[in-house]
């Protein structure tokens, strides 16, 4: 934003995250290489002592995978994650992150059981307070 303020109206509306000081796109490998440099600088600072817990080696793409994995674990719908990652089709996201989805699908049965029990107890409470709200559900199904 500071560079954009300096350049003013000459700043191109490119919507790039990483740009030169003039708002032009940078060479893609620059950001990829920067990730390793930042991690190395953190782990072995010039003037300070090294951190107690150094960061592991990571590529820029690893950060992208962490982002997607954490969103999926948190229950964000696949189509939303796919859009954030720039996947044209959520099926791509499903293929890449199927292991994450399968691992966390085990808890879905418990969530369903809890919701069904809650719904059942709510319906039982309504039955006690409402004498006649209409026909039984079975009466609505054609025979």
């Amino acid at each position: 934003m500071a560079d954009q303020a300096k350049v003013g109206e000459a700043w191109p509306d490119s919507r790039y995250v990483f740009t030169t000081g003039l708002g032009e796109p940078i060479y893609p490998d620059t950001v990829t290489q920067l990730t390793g440099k930042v991690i190395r600088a953190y782990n072995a600072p010039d003037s300070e002592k090294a951190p107690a817990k150094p960061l592991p080696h990571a590529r820029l793409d690893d950060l992208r995978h962490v982002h997607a994995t954490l969103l999926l674990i948190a229950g964000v719908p696949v189509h939303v994650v796919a859009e954030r990652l720039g996947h044209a089709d959520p099926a791509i996201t499903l293929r890449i992150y199927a292991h994450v989805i399968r691992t966390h699908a085990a808890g879905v049965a418990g969530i369903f059981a809890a919701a069904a029990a809650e719904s059942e107890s709510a319906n039982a409470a309504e039955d006690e307070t409402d004498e006649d709200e209409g026909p039984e559900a079975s009466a609505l199904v054609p025979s």
Side-chain angles (χ1 to χ4, degrees), residues 35-36 38-44 51-58 63:
T35 306
V38 169
I39 291 171
R40 282 190 299 279
Y42 174 83
N43 288 343
K53 189 171 185 178
L55 295 172
H57 170 76
L63 300 177

Side-chain angles (χ1 to χ4, degrees), residues 9-138:
E9 290 187 25
W11 186 270
D13 187 21
S14 63
R15 297 183 164 204
Y16 288 107
V17 174
F18 301 103
T19 64
T20 67
L22 298 174
E24 298 297 324
I26 60 172
Y27 188 70
D29 285 349
T30 303
V31 178
T32 302
Q33 293 168 357
L34 182 62
T35 306
K37 288 178 183 179
V38 169
I39 291 171
R40 282 190 299 279
Y42 174 83
N43 288 343
D46 291 336
S47 59
E48 305 167 23
K49 70 178 201 173
K53 189 171 185 178
L55 295 172
H57 170 76
R59 301 166 300 140
L60 182 62
D61 199 48
D62 296 331
L63 300 177
R64 175 182 166 91
H65 289 302
V66 167
H67 175 76
T69 300
L70 291 176
L71 290 176
L72 291 167
I73 289 171
V76 175
V78 173
H79 73 279
V80 174
V81 176
E83 185 177 322
R84 290 184 63 90
L85 296 176
H87 294 164
D89 183 354
I92 296 167
T93 312
L94 285 169
R95 278 193 302 275
I96 295 170
Y97 297 99
H99 64 286
V100 173
I101 296 165
R102 271 194 303 275
T103 300
H104 294 283
V108 172
I111 293 169
F112 176 78
E118 185 178 310
S119 175
E120 187 176 312
S121 65
N123 286 339
E126 281 182 23
D127 287 346
E128 290 174 10
T129 59
D130 297 334
E131 291 298 319
D132 190 20
E133 283 286 318
E136 289 293 318
S138 58

